[in-house]
Amino acid sequence: MTQAQDLEAILTPPVVPVLTIAETTDAVALARALAEGGLTVLEITLRTTAALQAIRDIAAAVPDAVVGAGTIRTPEDAEAAIAAGAHFLVSPGITPRIMEAAQRWRVPFLPGVATASEAMALADFGYAFLKFFPAEQSGGIAALKAWAPPLYDIRFCPTGGINAANAADYLALPNVVCVGGSWVAPANMVAEKDWSGITKLAETAAVLR
Ligand code: 3PG
């Protein structure tokens, strides 16, 4: 299977919640709330000290969820995430060290790009499914439409600045497989442990396409 086929087999819901978890104790309840609403594929960003334990806990306790790790910036981040049980890895960009190490990773990798040149460089390495980051700030829907003819064999998961108001427009594009975003798990709702409210947000997002 190619990188794109491996990832497309996993990233089936239209929206991938991008979760920056402050308290490990919230992780399982949050994952359950999102999965109950139909968002079963989750990206936990490696930006907090709670992140790796959150991945471990979700992988162990929420069989309905497929948990991945985001904010992979170094090979060491990737190794720690894989050891914690991450099923896929997401990076905001690429580095030579990451490209070299990624050949050995046992889980699918969604690398981030913001330009046509970066997308072409990754396609050369066999990556035809890319995160477009930060999507809104880098041209958004207009950029994806402009890339579609020349980058005809590359598909994207735009992330960054996507929300309930613009997600459906992204998902309507033929070169968009799914979108990522934090809007389905707002920090205030997590702090208030409003799990039923988060399930409702997930239900709305899960039928956007
Ligand atoms: C990411 O972490 O991948 C993005 O910053 C999420 O962006 P958002 O908070 O604008 O959805």
Side-chain angles (χ1 to χ4, degrees), residues 14-207:
V15 176
V16 178
V18 177
L19 307 173
T20 299
I21 294 183
E23 303 291 339
T24 309
T25 48
D26 288 333
V28 166
L30 176 57
R32 282 196 180 123
L34 290 161
E36 197 182 319
L39 298 186
T40 52
V41 179
L42 314 174
E43 175 188 330
I44 310 294
T45 65
L46 298 192
R47 291 179 212 167
T48 63
T49 52
L52 288 172
Q53 190 59 43
I55 291 170
R56 272 184 220 110
D57 290 351
I58 294 168
V62 193
D64 292 346
V66 177
V67 62
T71 320
I72 299 294
R73 292 183 44 188
T74 65
E76 294 74 24
D77 290 337
E79 281 151 25
I82 293 168
H87 286 87
F88 64 95
L89 304 176
V90 186
S91 72
I94 48 163
T95 68
R97 285 185 73 222
I98 284 185
M99 292 314 297
E100 195 276 322
Q103 298 170 47
R104 297 188 292 276
W105 297 343
R106 304 180 302 279
V107 300
F109 174 40
L110 179 67
V113 301
T115 68
S117 296
E118 292 165 355
M120 289 163 59
L122 279 163
D124 248 2
F125 280 93
Y127 292 89
F129 185 2
L130 308 173
K131 167 170 168 162
F132 175 28
F133 176 79
E136 273 289 283
Q137 297 85 342
S138 305
I141 287 169
L144 286 159
K145 283 184 176 166
W147 285 345
L151 305 181
Y152 50 83
D153 54 349
I154 301 179
R155 310 220 297 154
F156 296 91
C157 176
T159 304
I162 301 190
N163 53 45
N166 61 13
D169 292 336
Y170 276 93
L171 289 163
L173 300 176
N175 55 349
V176 168
V177 176
C178 55
V179 298
S182 59
W183 89 92
V184 286
N188 64 318
M189 289 174 81
V190 174
E192 289 161 16
K193 303 192 191 304
D194 181 3
W195 309 130
S196 61
I198 287 175
T199 295
K200 286 197 186 79
L201 287 179
E203 282 168 353
T204 305
V207 296

